[in-house]
Amino acid sequence: MMYRATTPEHIWELPFSTGEIEKIEITYQQGGKNVLIKTQKDCTLTEREIRVLLTQEETLLFASDAAERVLVQLKIKTKAGKVWATDVYTLSVYGCLNEGVM
């Protein structure tokens, strides 16, 4: 679940150390189109977690339409050249009464 005009943090726990990562892409798709792609520079890494914080402006890119949920997938390339992807997650997007940026 995600609310427009907020700053949600999405977290992935990995089965390996983030020290093995060469490249990260997190794709947010809605209505069959890529709306937002976050990269490693947008993420905070811990020993086995990837965290990404969306801005208010980024969440406003998504429509709050029950029929058009947001699909999210994390894709990683390791330093060994292996590419790993998560399942595709589905998020519902809800509006806020005041969708102005604070």
Side-chain angles (χ1 to χ4, degrees):
M1 165 172 44
M2 180 167 55
Y3 287 90
R4 288 171 41 91
T6 65
T7 57
E9 183 175 42
H10 298 141
I11 303 167
W12 288 268
E13 189 170 334
L14 303 178
F16 53 86
S17 170
T18 58
E20 297 178 37
I21 295 173
E22 179 180 313
K23 187 175 183 178
I24 295 171
E25 288 183 349
I26 303 168
T27 304
Y28 292 82
Q29 187 180 91
Q30 189 176 41
K33 296 181 182 177
N34 291 347
V35 176
L36 180 64
I37 297 177
K38 301 293 264 184
T39 62
Q40 187 163 344
K41 68 178 175 54
D42 303 309
C43 299
T44 301
L45 307 179
T46 64
E47 176 59 32
R48 292 192 180 267
E49 283 185 344
I50 296 173
R51 295 172 174 259
V52 65
L53 186 69
L54 301 187
T55 66
Q56 289 181 279
E57 293 85 357
E58 289 169 337
T59 60
L60 287 168
L61 296 172
F62 302 105
S64 58
D65 181 348
E68 291 291 339
R69 294 188 178 186
V70 173
L71 304 179
V72 184
Q73 186 176 44
L74 168 67
K75 191 172 176 183
I76 294 170
K77 181 177 181 182
T78 67
K79 292 176 182 174
K82 295 183 179 182
V83 177
W84 181 83
T86 64
D87 291 338
V88 175
Y89 297 95
T90 304
L91 298 175
S92 295
V93 179
Y94 299 97
C96 285
L97 294 179
N98 178 352
E99 291 192 342
V101 173
M102 296 177 74

